[in-house]
Amino acid sequence: MESKVYWLEDSVTVWSDFQRVPLHPRSISILKQYSHEGESDRLATFDLGFQLLSHPDVAEDFEDRLHFFVEECDHLQGFQLLCDWEDGFSGLACRAVEILHDDYDAKGVLTWGLLPGPSQTKVPGRNFNHVLNSALAIAHLAESSSLLCPLSVCPSFKCQPSPPLNFPHIQYQADMKYHSSAILASALETSTLPYRLHSSPASLSQYAESLNYCGRKVAVTRLSFPFSLARGWCLPDALTKHDPETSWQYLCPSGYEQNERCFTQAVSLRGVSAHQSRGFVPPGKEPMSRLHTCESGESVLSLYLQTRYPNTPNSVLLAETPIHVKTPFPNIFSSSIDPNGYLGEEKRSAATAVRQVSALTAVQSAAGLHSSLQELCAEATRFASSMATGIEQEDLSNALHSLCSLADNYKFGFGESDLDESDSD
């Protein structure tokens, strides 16, 4: 049965128009003194957000709501925080993480920093705030978070416009949050499977600790969406044909280099059924590749990663459940994707919707973050002395210094002596 296509692009304005998530009333807090429209009353800068959660009334409301949900938990793994780095919510998030770190120091805090795609509108000062807010957020959040993961379809923190990420089987408008948020949500839902499933091998804290060795508190996320799997293919077939340079995109701003080197990574693949996960070698025939000789889907993916990332610790998770992309998920898939998410030999009709797709993600402690964080630090330093940030100059300088020090953690060789000593004990 074909699913009907709905086009909602002209009828959505803010996230609640298309997310349609039934939120618990205790989880919503309205900041009445600020507006998402206009310019004069926007929560625009880092310091405004940070000070807001320092106000007694707002802080008390935040902690009351937090304690309500904590007390409802049967087993509290930790906290997953999604924050907008573009504006003053960056500062509010930093203050929130500080509170979580102080009150629940035995629990992990995994923070995802979300940034919009390239904007076609130019508002004086907003791009400069965007850079400074992001730099300050990373510097502060890296201190209190267990792990920090930026997510964006925009490949650069720079103020100059840059082309958005390109996905081979997606046609989307990067400056429309309705489209870009769908891609980021798919990456987030897949990346977090290792600690969200009932059968998960690790808790949130263990997941974060596996990726933040030697002070490397920032990680990048790679996404292949939809994962290219044709009907009749097995996982070894798909990985043999997989081109990570074009289809496995880095969802990390700041001009991330195509550097394959990384220190450790957690990889999740969803939407591949059990019978597709391993290859079949007919009797008397030579296997097409080493991947086709593996006993399970996990061993197939592990061997693929060992080939691409020699000597890099990998954790892998396979889940058969695909991502369901029915309305209100936007119609962003190219006609080469059939309704079940496979690469089709025939073009899909525009009147037929895609119902489900597969996805491959990797959260990596990657060497390329050295240049990415340095680039952000340099860009933020350009504006720090000329803009009224509302932050003491000494505090601002210390934050940027911390950001540059964080970047140095991603040089190869950093912490290797410590690793060798721990291995020899």
Side-chain angles (χ1 to χ4, degrees):
M1 180 178 179
E2 293 187 352
S3 299
K4 184 178 179 180
V5 175
Y6 294 89
W7 302 95
L8 305 179
E9 280 75 4
D10 295 333
S11 59
V12 299
T13 305
V14 296
W15 67 269
S16 54
D17 290 338
F18 55 86
Q19 297 286 36
R20 301 182 186 176
V21 178
L23 298 174
H24 192 288
R26 293 292 293 271
S27 69
I28 304 171
S29 183
I30 305 296
L31 305 177
K32 296 181 180 179
Q33 61 269 56
Y34 293 102
S35 170
H36 68 273
E37 301 172 345
E39 290 299 317
S40 60
D41 56 354
R42 290 184 71 249
L43 187 64
T45 59
F46 180 93
D47 62 298
L48 290 177
F50 195 91
Q51 293 169 9
L52 183 63
L53 203 49
S54 299
H55 190 281
D57 292 342
V58 179
E60 182 179 354
D61 178 68
F62 170 79
E63 296 202 30
D64 285 346
R65 295 173 187 276
L66 173 64
H67 293 157
F68 171 81
F69 287 105
V70 168
E71 291 169 2
E72 290 292 309
C73 291
D74 293 327
H75 173 67
L76 179 63
Q77 287 193 49
F79 301 91
Q80 178 174 274
L81 184 74
L82 278 65
C83 64
D84 188 346
W85 285 355
E86 183 187 25
D87 50 29
F89 280 100
S90 57
L92 191 150
C94 289
R95 182 66 187 124
V97 172
E98 286 183 2
I99 294 172
L100 295 175
H101 181 72
D102 292 341
D103 293 351
Y104 304 91
D105 59 340
K107 302 298 181 181
V109 181
L110 203 167
T111 307
W112 301 85
L114 307 174
L115 285 166
S119 176
Q120 301 299 323
T121 59
K122 295 182 179 181
V123 180
R126 183 176 292 186
N127 288 340
F128 304 116
N129 284 334
H130 168 104
V131 171
L132 283 172
N133 292 337
S134 299
L136 291 168
I138 292 178
H140 284 80
L141 289 171
E143 293 184 7
S144 301
S145 300
S146 305
L147 189 68
L148 177 61
C149 303
L151 285 179
S152 179
V153 296
C154 182
S156 178
F157 277 119
K158 290 185 176 181
C159 291
Q160 294 85 357
S162 57
L165 296 179
N166 177 56
F167 295 86
H169 305 296
I170 290 180
Q171 298 168 346
Y172 73 109
Q173 300 178 47
D175 60 330
M176 180 178 288
K177 294 180 181 179
Y178 175 41
H179 284 187
S180 61
S181 66
I183 295 173
L184 300 187
S186 300
L188 181 66
E189 187 181 18
T190 304
S191 298
T192 58
L193 285 175
Y195 58 85
R196 287 196 301 108
L197 296 176
H198 288 297
S199 59
S200 295
S203 67
L204 182 149
S205 296
Q206 293 169 328
Y207 177 85
E209 288 170 1
S210 70
L211 292 162
N212 67 9
Y213 182 76
C214 284
R216 301 183 183 107
K217 289 290 195 73
V218 184
V220 299
T221 302
R222 297 188 74 173
L223 172 67
S224 179
F225 180 71
F227 178 64
S228 299
L229 185 68
R231 191 176 294 277
W233 285 6
C234 61
L235 178 58
D237 294 336
L239 290 175
T240 301
K241 303 173 188 297
H242 184 65
D243 182 4
E245 298 298 328
T246 58
S247 60
W248 212 5
Q249 292 287 3
Y250 290 100
L251 299 178
C252 182
S254 196
Y256 184 77
E257 296 177 348
Q258 292 290 336
N259 188 332
E260 288 288 309
R261 303 177 74 185
C262 65
F263 303 98
T264 182
Q265 63 180 338
V267 178
S268 301
L269 173 64
R270 64 183 304 174
V272 178
S273 64
H275 76 273
Q276 292 175 309
S277 62
R278 51 176 292 189
F280 173 72
V281 181
K285 297 287 186 179
E286 288 292 323
M288 293 176 58
S289 71
R290 288 179 58 201
L291 298 178
H292 289 77
T293 65
C294 294
E295 296 289 332
S296 66
E298 286 79 6
S299 58
V300 170
L301 189 54
S302 294
L303 179 58
Y304 173 79
L305 294 172
Q306 289 169 12
T307 303
R308 295 209 62 85
Y309 303 95
N311 303 318
T312 297
N314 303 300
S315 64
V316 301
L317 181 142
L318 271 68
E320 293 189 44
T321 306
I323 298 177
H324 296 286
V325 293
K326 297 179 181 179
T327 304
F329 201 97
N331 300 294
I332 56 177
F333 301 103
S334 68
S335 59
S336 60
I337 301 298
D338 75 12
N340 292 311
Y342 293 110
L343 284 173
E345 296 181 359
E346 299 181 0
K347 299 298 183 181
R348 173 176 49 84
S349 165
T352 304
V354 177
R355 295 188 293 268
Q356 61 185 41
V357 293
S358 55
L360 174 67
T361 63
V363 179
Q364 301 177 331
S365 176
L369 278 162
H370 172 64
S371 58
S372 297
L373 295 175
Q374 278 194 329
E375 180 184 277
L376 174 59
C377 188
E379 190 80 352
T381 302
R382 286 178 52 203
F383 310 123
S385 60
S386 59
M387 290 189 64
T389 62
I391 302 173
E392 294 289 338
Q393 189 62 40
E394 182 179 358
D395 293 338
L396 182 57
S397 297
N398 289 339
L400 295 179
H401 176 74
S402 297
L403 182 60
C404 290
S405 297
L406 181 63
D408 290 338
N409 292 352
Y410 293 88
K411 292 180 179 178
F412 259 91
F414 178 88
E416 287 185 1
S417 58
D418 296 336
L419 182 60
D420 292 340
E421 291 174 6
S422 64
D423 288 343
S424 63
D425 289 342

Short mmCIF file of all heavy atoms in Angstrom, two decimals, residues 26-31 49 52-70 79-82 89 91-104 109:
data_model
loop_
_atom_site.label_atom_id
_atom_site.label_comp_id
_atom_site.label_asym_id
_atom_site.label_seq_id
_atom_site.Cartn_x
_atom_site.Cartn_y
_atom_site.Cartn_z
N ARG A 26 5.10 19.44 32.44
CA ARG A 26 6.13 19.84 33.38
C ARG A 26 7.48 20.05 32.69
O ARG A 26 8.44 20.49 33.33
CB ARG A 26 6.27 18.78 34.48
CG ARG A 26 5.08 18.67 35.42
CD ARG A 26 4.93 19.91 36.29
NE ARG A 26 6.02 20.06 37.23
CZ ARG A 26 6.06 19.54 38.45
NH1 ARG A 26 5.03 18.80 38.87
NH2 ARG A 26 7.09 19.74 39.25
N SER A 27 7.56 19.69 31.40
CA SER A 27 8.84 19.82 30.69
C SER A 27 8.96 21.13 29.93
O SER A 27 9.99 21.39 29.32
CB SER A 27 9.01 18.65 29.72
OG SER A 27 8.09 18.75 28.65
N ILE A 28 7.93 21.95 29.94
CA ILE A 28 7.92 23.19 29.16
C ILE A 28 8.05 24.40 30.09
O ILE A 28 7.29 24.54 31.04
CB ILE A 28 6.63 23.32 28.34
CG1 ILE A 28 6.45 22.10 27.43
CG2 ILE A 28 6.64 24.60 27.52
CD1 ILE A 28 5.09 22.05 26.75
N SER A 29 9.01 25.24 29.79
CA SER A 29 9.20 26.48 30.54
C SER A 29 9.29 27.63 29.54
O SER A 29 10.15 27.64 28.67
CB SER A 29 10.47 26.42 31.39
OG SER A 29 10.62 27.59 32.17
N ILE A 30 8.38 28.57 29.64
CA ILE A 30 8.30 29.69 28.70
C ILE A 30 9.12 30.87 29.23
O ILE A 30 8.93 31.29 30.38
CB ILE A 30 6.84 30.13 28.48
CG1 ILE A 30 5.98 28.94 28.03
CG2 ILE A 30 6.78 31.26 27.46
CD1 ILE A 30 6.38 28.36 26.70
N LEU A 31 10.02 31.38 28.40
CA LEU A 31 10.79 32.57 28.75
C LEU A 31 10.04 33.78 28.20
O LEU A 31 10.24 34.19 27.06
CB LEU A 31 12.20 32.48 28.15
CG LEU A 31 13.00 31.23 28.52
CD1 LEU A 31 14.35 31.23 27.82
CD2 LEU A 31 13.17 31.12 30.03
N GLY A 49 21.89 34.25 28.15
CA GLY A 49 21.40 32.93 28.53
C GLY A 49 22.01 32.44 29.83
O GLY A 49 21.32 31.86 30.67
N LEU A 52 20.46 34.28 32.69
CA LEU A 52 19.06 33.95 32.87
C LEU A 52 18.87 32.80 33.85
O LEU A 52 18.02 32.86 34.75
CB LEU A 52 18.44 33.60 31.51
CG LEU A 52 16.94 33.29 31.49
CD1 LEU A 52 16.14 34.51 31.90
CD2 LEU A 52 16.52 32.83 30.10
N LEU A 53 19.66 31.75 33.71
CA LEU A 53 19.53 30.60 34.59
C LEU A 53 20.20 30.84 35.95
O LEU A 53 20.11 30.01 36.85
CB LEU A 53 20.10 29.35 33.93
CG LEU A 53 19.58 28.00 34.42
CD1 LEU A 53 18.07 27.97 34.47
CD2 LEU A 53 20.09 26.87 33.55
N SER A 54 20.86 31.98 36.08
CA SER A 54 21.41 32.37 37.38
C SER A 54 20.39 33.18 38.17
O SER A 54 20.59 33.42 39.37
CB SER A 54 22.69 33.20 37.18
OG SER A 54 23.68 32.45 36.51
N HIS A 55 19.31 33.61 37.51
CA HIS A 55 18.26 34.35 38.20
C HIS A 55 17.51 33.40 39.13
O HIS A 55 17.11 32.30 38.72
CB HIS A 55 17.30 34.97 37.18
CG HIS A 55 16.33 35.94 37.76
ND1 HIS A 55 15.20 35.56 38.45
CD2 HIS A 55 16.35 37.31 37.78
CE1 HIS A 55 14.55 36.63 38.85
NE2 HIS A 55 15.23 37.71 38.46
N PRO A 56 17.28 33.77 40.38
CA PRO A 56 16.69 32.84 41.37
C PRO A 56 15.37 32.21 40.92
O PRO A 56 15.17 31.00 41.08
CB PRO A 56 16.49 33.73 42.60
CG PRO A 56 17.52 34.80 42.47
CD PRO A 56 17.65 35.06 40.99
N ASP A 57 14.46 33.02 40.35
CA ASP A 57 13.16 32.48 39.97
C ASP A 57 13.28 31.44 38.86
O ASP A 57 12.65 30.38 38.90
CB ASP A 57 12.23 33.61 39.52
CG ASP A 57 11.84 34.52 40.67
OD1 ASP A 57 11.99 34.09 41.84
OD2 ASP A 57 11.40 35.66 40.42
N VAL A 58 14.10 31.76 37.84
CA VAL A 58 14.27 30.85 36.72
C VAL A 58 15.01 29.59 37.16
O VAL A 58 14.66 28.47 36.78
CB VAL A 58 15.01 31.54 35.56
CG1 VAL A 58 15.20 30.57 34.39
CG2 VAL A 58 14.25 32.78 35.09
N ALA A 59 16.05 29.77 37.97
CA ALA A 59 16.83 28.63 38.45
C ALA A 59 15.98 27.70 39.31
O ALA A 59 16.06 26.47 39.19
CB ALA A 59 18.03 29.12 39.25
N GLU A 60 15.12 28.28 40.16
CA GLU A 60 14.26 27.45 41.01
C GLU A 60 13.27 26.66 40.18
O GLU A 60 13.02 25.48 40.44
CB GLU A 60 13.52 28.35 42.01
CG GLU A 60 12.64 27.58 42.98
CD GLU A 60 11.94 28.47 43.98
OE1 GLU A 60 12.22 29.69 44.00
OE2 GLU A 60 11.08 27.95 44.72
N ASP A 61 12.70 27.31 39.15
CA ASP A 61 11.75 26.62 38.26
C ASP A 61 12.46 25.48 37.53
O ASP A 61 11.91 24.37 37.40
CB ASP A 61 11.17 27.62 37.27
CG ASP A 61 10.21 26.97 36.29
OD1 ASP A 61 9.13 26.55 36.73
OD2 ASP A 61 10.56 26.87 35.10
N PHE A 62 13.68 25.73 37.05
CA PHE A 62 14.44 24.70 36.34
C PHE A 62 14.71 23.50 37.25
O PHE A 62 14.50 22.34 36.86
CB PHE A 62 15.76 25.30 35.84
CG PHE A 62 16.73 24.28 35.29
CD1 PHE A 62 16.57 23.76 34.02
CD2 PHE A 62 17.79 23.82 36.07
CE1 PHE A 62 17.46 22.82 33.51
CE2 PHE A 62 18.68 22.88 35.58
CZ PHE A 62 18.52 22.38 34.30
N GLU A 63 15.17 23.76 38.45
CA GLU A 63 15.52 22.66 39.36
C GLU A 63 14.29 21.90 39.82
O GLU A 63 14.33 20.68 40.00
CB GLU A 63 16.32 23.21 40.54
CG GLU A 63 17.66 23.81 40.11
CD GLU A 63 18.67 23.87 41.24
OE1 GLU A 63 18.61 23.02 42.13
OE2 GLU A 63 19.51 24.78 41.21
N ASP A 64 13.16 22.59 40.01
CA ASP A 64 11.92 21.89 40.38
C ASP A 64 11.50 20.93 39.29
O ASP A 64 11.11 19.78 39.57
CB ASP A 64 10.80 22.91 40.64
CG ASP A 64 10.97 23.64 41.97
OD1 ASP A 64 11.78 23.18 42.80
OD2 ASP A 64 10.29 24.67 42.17
N ARG A 65 11.55 21.37 38.03
CA ARG A 65 11.16 20.52 36.92
C ARG A 65 12.15 19.35 36.76
O ARG A 65 11.74 18.21 36.48
CB ARG A 65 11.10 21.33 35.62
CG ARG A 65 10.01 22.39 35.64
CD ARG A 65 10.09 23.29 34.38
NE ARG A 65 9.16 24.39 34.47
CZ ARG A 65 7.87 24.33 34.13
NH1 ARG A 65 7.37 23.19 33.66
NH2 ARG A 65 7.09 25.38 34.24
N LEU A 66 13.42 19.64 36.94
CA LEU A 66 14.44 18.61 36.84
C LEU A 66 14.23 17.53 37.90
O LEU A 66 14.22 16.33 37.59
CB LEU A 66 15.83 19.24 36.99
CG LEU A 66 17.01 18.28 37.08
CD1 LEU A 66 17.16 17.49 35.79
CD2 LEU A 66 18.30 19.05 37.38
N HIS A 67 14.04 17.93 39.14
CA HIS A 67 13.87 16.97 40.22
C HIS A 67 12.60 16.13 40.04
O HIS A 67 12.58 14.96 40.40
CB HIS A 67 13.82 17.70 41.57
CG HIS A 67 15.12 18.35 41.92
ND1 HIS A 67 15.21 19.41 42.80
CD2 HIS A 67 16.39 18.09 41.51
CE1 HIS A 67 16.48 19.76 42.91
NE2 HIS A 67 17.20 18.99 42.14
N PHE A 68 11.57 16.73 39.46
CA PHE A 68 10.33 15.98 39.21
C PHE A 68 10.61 14.77 38.32
O PHE A 68 10.16 13.65 38.61
CB PHE A 68 9.29 16.89 38.56
CG PHE A 68 8.06 16.17 38.08
CD1 PHE A 68 7.04 15.84 38.96
CD2 PHE A 68 7.93 15.81 36.74
CE1 PHE A 68 5.91 15.15 38.52
CE2 PHE A 68 6.80 15.14 36.28
CZ PHE A 68 5.78 14.81 37.18
N PHE A 69 11.36 14.98 37.24
CA PHE A 69 11.61 13.88 36.31
C PHE A 69 12.66 12.91 36.84
O PHE A 69 12.59 11.71 36.58
CB PHE A 69 12.03 14.44 34.95
CG PHE A 69 10.89 15.06 34.19
CD1 PHE A 69 10.78 16.44 34.09
CD2 PHE A 69 9.92 14.29 33.59
CE1 PHE A 69 9.73 17.03 33.41
CE2 PHE A 69 8.86 14.85 32.91
CZ PHE A 69 8.76 16.23 32.81
N VAL A 70 13.64 13.42 37.57
CA VAL A 70 14.64 12.52 38.17
C VAL A 70 13.98 11.55 39.13
O VAL A 70 14.30 10.35 39.15
CB VAL A 70 15.73 13.35 38.88
CG1 VAL A 70 16.61 12.44 39.75
CG2 VAL A 70 16.60 14.08 37.86
N PHE A 79 22.26 12.25 31.77
CA PHE A 79 21.46 13.27 31.11
C PHE A 79 21.95 13.49 29.68
O PHE A 79 23.14 13.56 29.43
CB PHE A 79 21.57 14.60 31.88
CG PHE A 79 21.10 14.51 33.31
CD1 PHE A 79 21.99 14.20 34.33
CD2 PHE A 79 19.77 14.71 33.63
CE1 PHE A 79 21.57 14.09 35.64
CE2 PHE A 79 19.34 14.60 34.95
CZ PHE A 79 20.23 14.30 35.95
N GLN A 80 20.99 13.57 28.78
CA GLN A 80 21.27 13.91 27.40
C GLN A 80 20.69 15.29 27.13
O GLN A 80 19.49 15.50 27.29
CB GLN A 80 20.66 12.89 26.45
CG GLN A 80 20.87 13.21 24.98
CD GLN A 80 20.37 12.12 24.07
OE1 GLN A 80 21.08 11.17 23.78
NE2 GLN A 80 19.13 12.22 23.62
N LEU A 81 21.54 16.21 26.74
CA LEU A 81 21.13 17.60 26.57
C LEU A 81 21.27 18.02 25.12
O LEU A 81 22.35 17.86 24.53
CB LEU A 81 21.99 18.50 27.46
CG LEU A 81 21.64 19.99 27.48
CD1 LEU A 81 20.37 20.21 28.29
CD2 LEU A 81 22.77 20.81 28.07
N LEU A 82 20.20 18.54 24.54
CA LEU A 82 20.24 19.11 23.20
C LEU A 82 20.16 20.62 23.35
O LEU A 82 19.22 21.14 23.96
CB LEU A 82 19.05 18.62 22.35
CG LEU A 82 19.17 17.26 21.68
CD1 LEU A 82 19.26 16.14 22.70
CD2 LEU A 82 17.99 17.02 20.74
N PHE A 89 20.78 30.57 24.02
CA PHE A 89 20.56 29.27 24.62
C PHE A 89 21.88 28.52 24.83
O PHE A 89 21.95 27.57 25.59
CB PHE A 89 19.60 28.43 23.77
CG PHE A 89 18.16 28.79 23.98
CD1 PHE A 89 17.49 29.61 23.08
CD2 PHE A 89 17.48 28.34 25.09
CE1 PHE A 89 16.17 29.96 23.28
CE2 PHE A 89 16.15 28.67 25.30
CZ PHE A 89 15.49 29.50 24.40
N GLY A 91 24.52 29.88 26.31
CA GLY A 91 24.87 30.20 27.69
C GLY A 91 23.95 29.52 28.68
O GLY A 91 24.39 29.05 29.74
N LEU A 92 22.65 29.46 28.36
CA LEU A 92 21.70 28.79 29.24
C LEU A 92 22.06 27.31 29.37
O LEU A 92 22.01 26.74 30.47
CB LEU A 92 20.29 28.96 28.68
CG LEU A 92 19.12 28.54 29.59
CD1 LEU A 92 17.90 29.40 29.29
CD2 LEU A 92 18.77 27.08 29.41
N ALA A 93 22.46 26.69 28.27
CA ALA A 93 22.84 25.28 28.31
C ALA A 93 24.08 25.07 29.17
O ALA A 93 24.17 24.08 29.92
CB ALA A 93 23.10 24.78 26.89
N CYS A 94 25.06 25.98 29.06
CA CYS A 94 26.27 25.84 29.86
C CYS A 94 25.96 25.91 31.35
O CYS A 94 26.50 25.14 32.16
CB CYS A 94 27.28 26.94 29.50
SG CYS A 94 28.02 26.72 27.87
N ARG A 95 25.08 26.84 31.73
CA ARG A 95 24.71 26.95 33.14
C ARG A 95 23.92 25.70 33.58
O ARG A 95 24.11 25.20 34.69
CB ARG A 95 23.87 28.21 33.35
CG ARG A 95 23.46 28.44 34.79
CD ARG A 95 24.64 28.72 35.68
NE ARG A 95 24.25 28.78 37.08
CZ ARG A 95 24.77 28.03 38.04
NH1 ARG A 95 25.75 27.17 37.76
NH2 ARG A 95 24.36 28.14 39.29
N ALA A 96 23.07 25.18 32.70
CA ALA A 96 22.30 23.98 33.03
C ALA A 96 23.22 22.78 33.25
O ALA A 96 23.03 22.00 34.19
CB ALA A 96 21.30 23.68 31.92
N VAL A 97 24.24 22.63 32.40
CA VAL A 97 25.17 21.52 32.54
C VAL A 97 25.99 21.66 33.82
O VAL A 97 26.30 20.67 34.49
CB VAL A 97 26.08 21.41 31.30
CG1 VAL A 97 27.19 20.38 31.53
CG2 VAL A 97 25.26 21.01 30.08
N GLU A 98 26.35 22.88 34.17
CA GLU A 98 27.07 23.10 35.43
C GLU A 98 26.23 22.62 36.62
O GLU A 98 26.74 21.98 37.54
CB GLU A 98 27.40 24.59 35.60
CG GLU A 98 28.53 25.07 34.72
CD GLU A 98 28.87 26.54 34.99
OE1 GLU A 98 28.24 27.14 35.90
OE2 GLU A 98 29.76 27.07 34.31
N ILE A 99 24.93 22.92 36.59
CA ILE A 99 24.03 22.48 37.66
C ILE A 99 23.95 20.95 37.71
O ILE A 99 24.03 20.34 38.78
CB ILE A 99 22.63 23.09 37.47
CG1 ILE A 99 22.69 24.62 37.65
CG2 ILE A 99 21.63 22.48 38.44
CD1 ILE A 99 21.40 25.33 37.30
N LEU A 100 23.82 20.33 36.55
CA LEU A 100 23.75 18.87 36.49
C LEU A 100 25.05 18.25 36.99
O LEU A 100 25.05 17.25 37.73
CB LEU A 100 23.48 18.41 35.05
CG LEU A 100 22.13 18.80 34.45
CD1 LEU A 100 22.07 18.38 32.99
CD2 LEU A 100 20.98 18.17 35.23
N HIS A 101 26.17 18.84 36.61
CA HIS A 101 27.48 18.33 37.01
C HIS A 101 27.67 18.44 38.52
O HIS A 101 28.21 17.53 39.16
CB HIS A 101 28.58 19.10 36.29
CG HIS A 101 29.96 18.64 36.62
ND1 HIS A 101 30.48 17.44 36.19
CD2 HIS A 101 30.96 19.21 37.37
CE1 HIS A 101 31.71 17.30 36.64
NE2 HIS A 101 32.02 18.35 37.37
N ASP A 102 27.21 19.54 39.10
CA ASP A 102 27.36 19.76 40.55
C ASP A 102 26.41 18.86 41.36
O ASP A 102 26.80 18.31 42.39
CB ASP A 102 27.10 21.23 40.90
CG ASP A 102 28.18 22.16 40.35
OD1 ASP A 102 29.28 21.65 40.03
OD2 ASP A 102 27.92 23.36 40.24
N ASP A 103 25.17 18.72 40.89
CA ASP A 103 24.16 17.99 41.66
C ASP A 103 24.18 16.48 41.41
O ASP A 103 23.73 15.71 42.28
CB ASP A 103 22.76 18.52 41.33
CG ASP A 103 22.56 19.96 41.80
OD1 ASP A 103 23.44 20.46 42.53
OD2 ASP A 103 21.53 20.56 41.45
N TYR A 104 24.67 16.05 40.23
CA TYR A 104 24.67 14.63 39.88
C TYR A 104 26.03 14.25 39.31
O TYR A 104 26.15 13.75 38.19
CB TYR A 104 23.57 14.34 38.86
CG TYR A 104 22.19 14.76 39.30
CD1 TYR A 104 21.69 16.03 38.99
CD2 TYR A 104 21.38 13.90 40.03
CE1 TYR A 104 20.42 16.43 39.39
CE2 TYR A 104 20.11 14.29 40.45
CZ TYR A 104 19.65 15.56 40.12
OH TYR A 104 18.39 15.94 40.52
N VAL A 109 26.81 13.31 31.52
CA VAL A 109 26.07 14.35 30.80
C VAL A 109 26.59 14.37 29.37
O VAL A 109 27.74 14.74 29.12
CB VAL A 109 26.26 15.74 31.43
CG1 VAL A 109 25.46 16.78 30.65
CG2 VAL A 109 25.84 15.74 32.90
#
